[in-house]
Amino acid sequence: MARSAILNVMVAAATKAGRALTRDFGEVENLQVSRKGPGDFVTAADHRAEKILREELQRARPGYSLVMEESGTIEGTDPQHRFIVDPLDGTTNFLHGIPIFGISIALERQGQIVAGVIYNPIMDELYTAEKGNGAFLNNRRLRVAGRATMTDCVIGTGIPHLGRGDHGRALMELRHVMGEVSGIRRAGAASIDLAWVASGRLDGFWEHDLKSWDMAAGLLMIREAGGYISDATGGEKIFETGSVVAGNEFIHHGLLDLLKKARKPA
């Protein structure tokens, strides 16, 4: 596959940060860990990875703005471009030795996501996408799964935990979805979940209370793999609402219908 210069920059940054995360993952018990909030840990590895990503991206494109999970917004001189970066999505998995976590980088140009990278360094799975040029896992072209019936599907989701999210809403949505599908999975890293929808491993996915860096690269990846993605009401306000629903045309529609039923009073 041919990559643009900017996508090569993003891949190089992700793989360099991935090497650091891989080293730290091997010594996870020795990491210095602090609490950022209930159930939401930030580690020395997280900060190291973000520092690498910031340095690599700023070296290659010094004028671009950055939106980063730990550092916040870093304004650049170019108002048309910004990188949206999560240096370690799936921190709790990382800390528990679960090898499902990723680095996510998206490039926004004039308000549109035009390139994305999601990298799981432990599995050495590199997902890439560019607007109009498709989505890839390493060098294999991706397509969303083709199943058209909810009963045949495995659906991913995020489940709120201590101090986070609307537990009542989550239980109601699970109640409506779980009786209609073959299985529900909670991997613990939204960027990886979205990449798995793009690759066809998951037939669909929904979650609430996400941030832009959790979703930006995966949003483009799913669309470039032929999938559909929206907010939880079927609209386009994904970043504003923090909610996402994804799948092929049929499963996306089916999930939206089930979530709508879950919102109705009993």
Side-chain angles (χ1 to χ4, degrees):
M1 57 166 289
R3 295 181 184 140
S4 69
I6 190 59
L7 188 59
N8 279 328
V9 165
M10 295 162 67
V11 166
T15 52
K16 184 172 182 178
R19 288 193 292 272
L21 287 179
T22 299
R23 288 193 298 271
D24 286 331
F25 188 68
E27 300 179 7
V28 68
E29 292 181 354
N30 299 322
L31 287 175
Q32 295 179 359
V33 181
S34 62
R35 280 188 180 270
K36 191 170 60 175
D40 189 7
F41 300 100
V42 60
T43 67
D46 203 327
H47 289 293
R48 274 193 289 272
E50 184 166 283
K51 182 174 184 290
I52 291 167
L53 292 167
R54 183 174 66 248
E55 289 174 352
E56 292 298 308
L57 294 173
Q58 287 183 325
R59 181 180 299 115
R61 295 294 188 275
Y64 288 15
S65 297
L66 291 156
V67 178
M68 312 192 83
E69 182 180 12
E70 305 301 338
S71 303
T73 299
I74 302 169
E75 297 291 350
T77 57
D78 181 347
Q80 305 300 317
H81 295 88
R82 66 173 184 168
F83 292 112
I84 304 173
V85 180
D86 192 339
L88 176 52
D89 183 24
T91 307
T92 302
N93 281 353
F94 184 92
L95 285 172
H96 285 77
I98 300 170
I100 300 174
F101 56 86
I103 296 163
S104 179
I105 309 171
L107 174 62
E108 184 181 72
R109 177 180 295 136
Q110 298 178 332
Q112 298 291 318
I113 305 299
V114 296
V117 172
I118 298 170
Y119 182 45
N120 180 334
I122 302 304
M123 296 181 178
D124 194 27
E125 292 188 339
L126 177 69
Y127 296 86
T128 58
E130 288 189 270
K131 190 173 183 180
N133 290 324
F136 295 83
L137 168 53
N138 297 332
N139 290 315
R140 177 173 63 85
R141 184 74 177 256
L142 297 182
R143 295 294 298 178
V144 294
R147 296 178 186 87
T149 306
M150 293 294 293
T151 53
D152 295 331
C153 291
V154 172
I155 304 296
T157 191
I159 300 173
H161 49 81
L162 175 66
R164 293 285 296 274
D166 186 331
H167 293 206
R169 176 182 61 192
L171 290 170
M172 186 63 69
E173 290 179 347
L174 281 169
R175 177 184 174 188
H176 279 77
V177 176
M178 68 185 184
E180 302 292 332
V181 301
S182 288
I184 293 179
R185 302 289 183 267
R186 197 279 195 263
S191 64
I192 299 296
D193 283 310
L194 294 171
W196 285 359
V197 173
S199 68
R201 289 178 180 172
L202 292 174
D203 297 284
F205 175 75
W206 92 96
E207 189 168 357
H208 300 276
D209 303 314
L210 294 172
K211 302 297 185 183
S212 61
W213 47 78
D214 298 315
M215 303 181 286
L219 182 154
L220 177 66
M221 219 154 280
I222 287 171
R223 288 177 173 160
E224 288 298 316
Y228 289 70
I229 188 164
S230 70
D231 63 33
T233 64
E236 294 295 316
K237 296 182 178 180
I238 296 173
F239 292 166
E240 294 89 338
T241 65
S243 67
V244 64
V245 180
N248 67 26
E249 180 181 5
F250 305 104
I251 305 311
H252 176 253
H253 186 268
L255 272 175
L256 286 174
D257 280 350
L258 290 171
L259 297 177
K260 183 178 180 180
K261 290 176 183 177
R263 289 194 297 271
K264 291 182 178 179

